[in-house]
Amino acid sequence: MTQDKPLSFLGGLTAREFLTEYWQKKPLFIKNAFPDFEDPIDADEIAGLALEPFIPSRFIFESGGERPWQLKMGPAVEADFTALKDKKWMLVINDVEKNLPELKAMTAPFQFIPNWRLDDLQVSLGEEGGNVGAHWDDYDVFLIQGMGKKRWQISYAPVSEDDFVDGVDIRLIENFKADEEWIVEPGDMLYLPPRIGHYGVNIGRSVTWSVGFRAPKHREMFRDFIEMQFDKIAEDARFSDPSLPVATEYGHLTDDAIDRVMAVLQESLTHNREMVSEWFGAFITEPKMFQTPEPLDEPMDEESLVEFLDDGGALEVHPGITLLHREINDAIYLFAAGKSYSLPKSEKALVTYIVNSEFLEYEALEEALSSDVAKQFLVQLVNDGILLCEDEEMAEGADWDDEEDEA
């Protein structure tokens, strides 16, 4: 995708224009962003996802009484759907693209945003009046309307962590006042930056697809970085003062003592760009619950891998993880599932190919397989569960890349 090509799903804006004018700044509504849009899975299939124990899901419904809003976490059972009769409800499913990899095609139009910022594809299903209340998120999100219609209202009023309805399990804005409103239909899209209050109410049975982008909290980043540094400190390292001067005042905490303590802390927290790069690549690719790759029970060797590929097999990138690459000093690094893999820069083409592919076949890997380093690397990724051995048939999804035509 070129930075300056008008994109129809952004209303004719280029990727550069969108990021400059709207990203993390202000909402954007695009009528008919995806013409002739059809849900890639139907309502029954969406409901079926809620029954799976490894797929995050939740029901949100208005129930009346002392607690008018209730939240019920999944997995659901059949009786949950029966109990929703006469209630206004929404079913929300997260990480859809990780469990149905063919639906990754729905995130393809947004590849002008770095993949490590992508959180998930979420889908919500509900009947007439169903909604999740007026709320705000710390996410950037593209809301794509599927089946049915929905009334979206947004508010530009400032929000805070304290502006919630008391005694409710979900984060609702207490005094929501709409500044703009749209009735959305299949293929319409609304982009919302973080902390914009929004309220969507179904008009009849309705499906909404959400492509959400995360921003890690500073506290999470700092804690993880400190833990990484902590692990590098030798267990037997202790405070020392071999040139301790005679104490002139028994209870005095001297400047010399503080200087030594500061030296310990500064040495422990020493960092540079290369160190931060290696840490952050691993940190930001940590997999979500239920998406952690499982190492092979019986490790594969290089000869078996080459034979598997030569016989028509293919390697699939684990659908639940994010892959990143970066050059650090004299090496090329692959980051995957919270781990870092270091290779000589001569293998950069192989690493970037893996990062930008879903399936890897023998024909594309033939040159790499002539390198012992590359073979060892591929075998390690297979044995670690980063790459999965699959049959040659590829998953087929909707070709959303075609939406990148000129407006």
Side-chain angles (χ1 to χ4, degrees):
M1 179 187 296
T2 60
Q3 296 183 4
D4 298 310
K5 177 182 178 180
L7 302 174
S8 61
F9 68 92
L10 293 179
L13 293 172
T14 66
R16 186 200 302 270
E17 288 171 337
F18 172 79
L19 294 175
T20 300
E21 298 174 24
Y22 292 93
W23 178 255
Q24 299 218 320
K25 301 175 186 71
K26 58 184 179 180
L28 175 65
F29 174 68
I30 303 297
K31 183 68 180 175
N32 206 27
F34 298 102
D36 304 317
F37 178 83
E38 294 184 3
D39 296 305
I41 57 177
D42 62 28
D44 288 341
E45 291 172 302
I46 294 171
L49 295 176
L51 304 175
E52 300 292 346
F54 52 85
I55 300 181
S57 64
R58 60 195 182 276
F59 282 107
I60 301 170
F61 52 90
E62 294 182 72
S63 58
E66 295 182 0
R67 301 186 68 193
W69 288 89
Q70 291 190 25
L71 171 68
K72 186 180 188 302
M73 302 300 295
V77 295
E78 294 289 350
D80 290 325
F81 291 93
T82 304
L84 294 173
K85 186 178 181 181
D86 300 326
K87 294 178 181 177
K88 297 177 181 178
W89 59 272
M90 289 285 285
L91 171 63
V92 181
I93 312 287
N94 285 93
D95 296 328
V96 179
E97 86 292 357
K98 298 177 182 65
N99 294 284
L100 299 177
E102 63 272 21
L103 297 191
K104 286 187 176 183
M106 291 193 66
T107 68
F110 308 101
Q111 289 181 355
F112 59 90
I113 301 166
N115 71 338
W116 63 266
R117 291 285 264 113
L118 178 65
D119 185 65
D120 75 338
L121 174 67
Q122 173 186 286
V123 63
S124 60
L125 165 70
E127 300 290 352
E128 170 69 33
N131 65 92
V132 298
H135 64 286
W136 57 269
D137 301 304
D138 282 313
Y139 281 37
D140 295 87
V141 64
F142 296 88
L143 300 160
I144 303 165
Q145 181 62 24
M147 172 185 63
K149 297 181 181 181
K150 196 167 198 168
R151 175 182 287 104
W152 277 113
Q153 296 177 319
I154 65 171
S155 170
Y156 294 106
V159 296
S160 73
E161 295 286 350
D162 300 323
D163 186 20
F164 299 139
V165 178
D166 289 333
V168 177
D169 294 328
I170 52 180
R171 191 167 68 177
L172 300 177
I173 298 175
E174 189 163 18
N175 299 304
F176 181 83
K177 295 181 180 179
D179 293 310
E180 289 194 71
E181 176 178 310
W182 301 271
I183 303 295
V184 299
E185 301 174 297
D188 293 349
M189 182 175 76
L190 175 63
Y191 162 73
L192 295 175
R195 301 205 166 208
I196 292 291
H198 50 286
Y199 184 33
V201 180
N202 291 345
I203 301 174
R205 174 176 284 194
S206 176
V207 171
T208 302
W209 299 89
S210 305
V211 182
F213 292 83
R214 66 170 174 161
K217 289 184 177 181
H218 289 182
R219 284 190 171 192
E220 293 172 351
M221 294 168 61
F222 189 74
R223 181 183 298 112
D224 194 87
F225 183 77
I226 293 299
E227 288 177 355
M228 182 270 290
Q229 295 287 70
F230 178 83
D231 290 339
K232 293 182 178 180
I233 300 174
E235 288 190 17
D236 60 349
R238 288 180 180 272
F239 179 90
S240 65
D241 48 4
S243 56
L244 179 67
V246 174
T248 57
E249 187 176 347
Y250 183 60
H252 180 217
L253 183 60
T254 65
D255 287 342
D256 179 69
I258 295 300
D259 288 343
R260 289 180 179 277
V261 171
M262 288 185 64
V264 169
L265 297 179
Q266 288 171 351
E267 182 180 357
S268 301
L269 292 175
T270 296
H271 62 274
N272 54 42
R273 192 173 187 84
E274 290 73 24
M275 180 188 296
V276 171
S277 297
E278 188 173 349
W279 157 75
F280 188 72
F283 164 77
I284 204 63
T285 60
E286 278 283 354
K288 288 187 174 184
M289 185 182 299
F290 303 121
Q291 300 299 330
T292 301
E294 296 183 3
L296 293 184
D297 292 333
E298 298 183 9
M300 177 179 284
D301 58 28
E302 296 169 28
E303 183 179 350
S304 298
L305 175 62
V306 173
E307 182 179 351
F308 169 76
L309 291 170
D310 194 27
D311 287 344
L315 301 177
E316 178 189 8
V317 176
H318 189 294
I321 65 175
T322 297
L323 301 183
L324 296 172
H325 66 83
R326 180 175 174 82
E327 290 184 30
I328 302 177
N329 293 325
D330 295 325
I332 178 72
Y333 277 72
L334 172 73
F335 301 102
K339 297 180 179 180
S340 63
Y341 299 85
S342 174
L343 287 170
K345 277 189 179 180
S346 58
E347 304 298 338
K348 179 179 179 179
L350 173 61
V351 172
T352 55
Y353 172 63
I354 294 172
V355 169
N356 291 290
S357 303
E358 291 185 22
F359 289 89
L360 295 77
E361 297 177 280
Y362 180 80
E363 183 177 343
L365 294 172
E366 186 172 5
E367 182 177 346
L369 291 172
S370 65
S371 162
D372 289 339
V373 171
K375 280 192 291 188
Q376 292 169 6
F377 173 58
L378 288 169
V379 167
Q380 183 176 7
L381 294 182
V382 171
N383 289 333
D384 287 352
I386 304 298
L387 297 179
L388 309 175
C389 293
E390 298 290 344
D391 293 332
E392 192 175 16
E393 291 186 6
M394 306 298 180
E396 294 182 0
D399 188 5
W400 278 52
D401 291 311
D402 291 342
E403 300 295 343
E404 298 172 5
D405 58 345
E406 294 192 7

